PDB file of all heavy atoms in Angstrom:
ATOM      1  N   LEU A 618       0.350   9.267 -35.108  1.00  0.00           N
ATOM      2  CA  LEU A 618      -0.183   8.485 -36.228  1.00  0.00           C
ATOM      3  C   LEU A 618      -0.035   7.013 -35.930  1.00  0.00           C
ATOM      4  O   LEU A 618      -0.949   6.249 -36.176  1.00  0.00           O
ATOM      5  CB  LEU A 618       0.627   8.893 -37.483  1.00  0.00           C
ATOM      6  CG  LEU A 618       0.095   8.320 -38.789  1.00  0.00           C
ATOM      7  CD1 LEU A 618      -1.159   9.015 -39.198  1.00  0.00           C
ATOM      8  CD2 LEU A 618       1.178   8.469 -39.893  1.00  0.00           C
ATOM      9  N   VAL A 619       1.107   6.606 -35.390  1.00  0.00           N
ATOM     10  CA  VAL A 619       1.361   5.204 -35.118  1.00  0.00           C
ATOM     11  C   VAL A 619       0.491   4.736 -33.965  1.00  0.00           C
ATOM     12  O   VAL A 619      -0.150   3.700 -33.967  1.00  0.00           O
ATOM     13  CB  VAL A 619       2.856   4.935 -34.796  1.00  0.00           C
ATOM     14  CG1 VAL A 619       3.066   3.501 -34.383  1.00  0.00           C
ATOM     15  CG2 VAL A 619       3.694   5.271 -36.042  1.00  0.00           C
ATOM     16  N   ILE A 620       0.435   5.580 -32.894  1.00  0.00           N
ATOM     17  CA  ILE A 620      -0.281   5.198 -31.716  1.00  0.00           C
ATOM     18  C   ILE A 620      -1.746   5.001 -31.998  1.00  0.00           C
ATOM     19  O   ILE A 620      -2.380   4.060 -31.510  1.00  0.00           O
ATOM     20  CB  ILE A 620      -0.124   6.322 -30.623  1.00  0.00           C
ATOM     21  CG1 ILE A 620       1.323   6.337 -30.123  1.00  0.00           C
ATOM     22  CG2 ILE A 620      -1.080   6.084 -29.463  1.00  0.00           C
ATOM     23  CD1 ILE A 620       1.616   7.518 -29.260  1.00  0.00           C
ATOM     24  N   ASN A 621      -2.322   5.854 -32.817  1.00  0.00           N
ATOM     25  CA  ASN A 621      -3.776   5.833 -33.068  1.00  0.00           C
ATOM     26  C   ASN A 621      -4.225   4.974 -34.233  1.00  0.00           C
ATOM     27  O   ASN A 621      -5.390   4.895 -34.488  1.00  0.00           O
ATOM     28  CB  ASN A 621      -4.300   7.245 -33.207  1.00  0.00           C
ATOM     29  CG  ASN A 621      -4.208   8.080 -31.971  1.00  0.00           C
ATOM     30  OD1 ASN A 621      -4.897   7.766 -30.994  1.00  0.00           O
ATOM     31  ND2 ASN A 621      -3.381   9.043 -31.957  1.00  0.00           N
ATOM     32  N   SER A 622      -3.323   4.366 -34.915  1.00  0.00           N
ATOM     33  CA  SER A 622      -3.712   3.641 -36.140  1.00  0.00           C
ATOM     34  C   SER A 622      -4.564   2.423 -35.832  1.00  0.00           C
ATOM     35  O   SER A 622      -5.306   1.945 -36.707  1.00  0.00           O
ATOM     36  CB  SER A 622      -2.420   3.209 -36.886  1.00  0.00           C
ATOM     37  OG  SER A 622      -1.650   2.356 -36.066  1.00  0.00           O
ATOM     38  N   THR A 623      -4.504   1.913 -34.610  1.00  0.00           N
ATOM     39  CA  THR A 623      -5.263   0.691 -34.298  1.00  0.00           C
ATOM     40  C   THR A 623      -6.481   1.005 -33.440  1.00  0.00           C
ATOM     41  O   THR A 623      -7.210   0.072 -33.056  1.00  0.00           O
ATOM     42  CB  THR A 623      -4.356  -0.305 -33.554  1.00  0.00           C
ATOM     43  OG1 THR A 623      -3.907   0.299 -32.376  1.00  0.00           O
ATOM     44  CG2 THR A 623      -3.207  -0.721 -34.402  1.00  0.00           C
ATOM     45  N   ARG A 624      -6.722   2.251 -33.132  1.00  0.00           N
ATOM     46  CA  ARG A 624      -7.866   2.558 -32.204  1.00  0.00           C
ATOM     47  C   ARG A 624      -9.193   2.472 -32.943  1.00  0.00           C
ATOM     48  O   ARG A 624      -9.329   2.772 -34.106  1.00  0.00           O
ATOM     49  CB  ARG A 624      -7.696   3.967 -31.635  1.00  0.00           C
ATOM     50  CG  ARG A 624      -6.539   4.077 -30.683  1.00  0.00           C
ATOM     51  CD  ARG A 624      -6.610   5.310 -29.876  1.00  0.00           C
ATOM     52  NE  ARG A 624      -5.474   5.436 -28.948  1.00  0.00           N
ATOM     53  CZ  ARG A 624      -5.344   6.356 -28.073  1.00  0.00           C
ATOM     54  NH1 ARG A 624      -6.279   7.306 -27.934  1.00  0.00           N
ATOM     55  NH2 ARG A 624      -4.309   6.426 -27.271  1.00  0.00           N
ATOM     56  N   GLN A 625     -10.181   2.057 -32.181  1.00  0.00           N
ATOM     57  CA  GLN A 625     -11.559   2.031 -32.722  1.00  0.00           C
ATOM     58  C   GLN A 625     -12.268   3.274 -32.238  1.00  0.00           C
ATOM     59  O   GLN A 625     -12.355   3.540 -31.024  1.00  0.00           O
ATOM     60  CB  GLN A 625     -12.311   0.791 -32.226  1.00  0.00           C
ATOM     61  CG  GLN A 625     -11.736  -0.530 -32.712  1.00  0.00           C
ATOM     62  CD  GLN A 625     -12.086  -0.784 -34.188  1.00  0.00           C
ATOM     63  OE1 GLN A 625     -13.066  -0.244 -34.658  1.00  0.00           O
ATOM     64  NE2 GLN A 625     -11.326  -1.589 -34.857  1.00  0.00           N
ATOM     65  N   SER A 626     -12.772   4.093 -33.121  1.00  0.00           N
ATOM     66  CA  SER A 626     -13.451   5.320 -32.766  1.00  0.00           C
ATOM     67  C   SER A 626     -14.784   5.398 -33.482  1.00  0.00           C
ATOM     68  O   SER A 626     -14.960   4.845 -34.555  1.00  0.00           O
ATOM     69  CB  SER A 626     -12.629   6.534 -33.140  1.00  0.00           C
ATOM     70  OG  SER A 626     -11.381   6.512 -32.519  1.00  0.00           O
ATOM     71  N   PRO A 627     -15.749   6.083 -32.842  1.00  0.00           N
ATOM     72  CA  PRO A 627     -17.092   6.177 -33.506  1.00  0.00           C
ATOM     73  C   PRO A 627     -16.951   6.874 -34.859  1.00  0.00           C
ATOM     74  O   PRO A 627     -16.133   7.774 -35.032  1.00  0.00           O
ATOM     75  CB  PRO A 627     -17.897   7.049 -32.520  1.00  0.00           C
ATOM     76  CG  PRO A 627     -17.173   6.929 -31.229  1.00  0.00           C
ATOM     77  CD  PRO A 627     -15.716   6.725 -31.556  1.00  0.00           C
ATOM     78  N   VAL A 628     -17.774   6.431 -35.786  1.00  0.00           N
ATOM     79  CA  VAL A 628     -17.763   7.032 -37.138  1.00  0.00           C
ATOM     80  C   VAL A 628     -19.165   7.545 -37.447  1.00  0.00           C
ATOM     81  O   VAL A 628     -20.162   6.847 -37.217  1.00  0.00           O
ATOM     82  CB  VAL A 628     -17.391   5.989 -38.200  1.00  0.00           C
ATOM     83  CG1 VAL A 628     -17.440   6.606 -39.575  1.00  0.00           C
ATOM     84  CG2 VAL A 628     -16.005   5.423 -37.927  1.00  0.00           C
ATOM     85  N   SER A 629     -19.243   8.794 -37.871  1.00  0.00           N
ATOM     86  CA  SER A 629     -20.521   9.333 -38.314  1.00  0.00           C
ATOM     87  C   SER A 629     -20.216  10.417 -39.334  1.00  0.00           C
ATOM     88  O   SER A 629     -19.035  10.683 -39.611  1.00  0.00           O
ATOM     89  CB  SER A 629     -21.337   9.941 -37.119  1.00  0.00           C
ATOM     90  OG  SER A 629     -20.586  10.954 -36.486  1.00  0.00           O
TER      91      SER A 629
END
Side-chain angles (χ1 to χ4, degrees):
L618 187 72
V619 175
I620 291 170
N621 291 294
S622 61
T623 59
R624 292 195 180 186
Q625 295 285 337
S626 300
V628 179
S629 59

